Amino acid sequence: KAGVTQTPRYLIKTRGQQVTLSCSPISGHRSVSWYQQTPGQGLQFLFEYFSETQRNKGNFPGRFSGRQFSNSRSEMNVSTLELGDSALYLCASSSEYNSPLHFGNGTRLTVT
Amino acid sequence: DQQVKQNSPSLSVQEGRISILNCDYTNSMFDYFLWYKKYPAEGPTFLISISSIKDKNEDGRFTVFLNKSAKHLSLHIVPSQPGDSAVYFCAASWGNYGQNFVFGPGTRLSVLP
């Protein structure tokens, strides 16, 4: 089975711009979660989607949003980028509740 | 307020010996726990899980122990190999709706040949 695929791997954006990150989960996985990893804060939960519905949301401002499509692929959008948004954004998929998350290799976002 | 703590930022172990990575949590509602390892420039790789109805789970060289009364879990790697050198994260979740995991800050393991 193919793993979780995230595109692009690297992005450089300017403050104030917006960005969209993409994630294709493992085939058959209906849950997709997004995490932000920074050196100071570690891995922080952004949100989780299941069957096109946001099921959980972390403590991030409304500039961070996401969606899931009928084929379980997911996108994450960050508007009005700030320097502090520079981070590794990780997508993970899982098959059901209380099952392991399987992560992609992430998108490294740099905001200048 | 960190709900999941890994108090050792780093650990060095000789090849062939046992590596013990520790994790403490504060939320007694957590009922499912995961361990991951992460290499630079890659996403975390799932290693092993344990639910709160068990106190031990084994998978090859990896064993996870859960002490619910102490709110403590540990990952044992026996024998340790140089390829195990990576950052290890524990993660915890609770509730019956959704996959919202809280991750610890990680422990960097170095296995010395």
Side-chain angles (χ1 to χ4, degrees), chain B residues 92-107:
Chain B
S93 73
W94 68 280
N96 56 6
Y97 190 65
Q99 293 268 74
N100 175 355
F101 284 88
V102 180
F103 280 77
T107 296

Side-chain angles (χ1 to χ4, degrees), chain A residues 37-105:
Chain A
Q37 185 182 25
T38 58
Q41 298 294 319
L43 274 141
Q44 302 282 310
F45 173 75
L46 280 154
F47 29 66
E48 183 218 356
Y49 287 86
F50 184 87
S51 293
E52 302 179 66
T53 300
Q54 187 180 86
R55 193 159 66 167
N56 270 296
K57 189 176 190 308
N59 294 325
F60 279 81
R63 300 185 297 106
F64 292 82
S65 63
R67 59 177 175 168
Q68 187 180 32
F69 302 96
S70 58
N71 61 359
S72 292
R73 192 177 69 84
S74 177
E75 288 182 347
M76 187 190 111
N77 186 75
V78 188
S79 62
T80 321
L81 284 165
E82 300 177 359
L83 294 178
D85 297 333
S86 295
L88 179 67
Y89 290 88
L90 291 160
C91 169
S93 73
S94 59
S95 57
E96 59 190 14
Y97 166 69
N98 266 7
S99 64
L101 302 176
H102 297 274
F103 284 90
N105 284 328

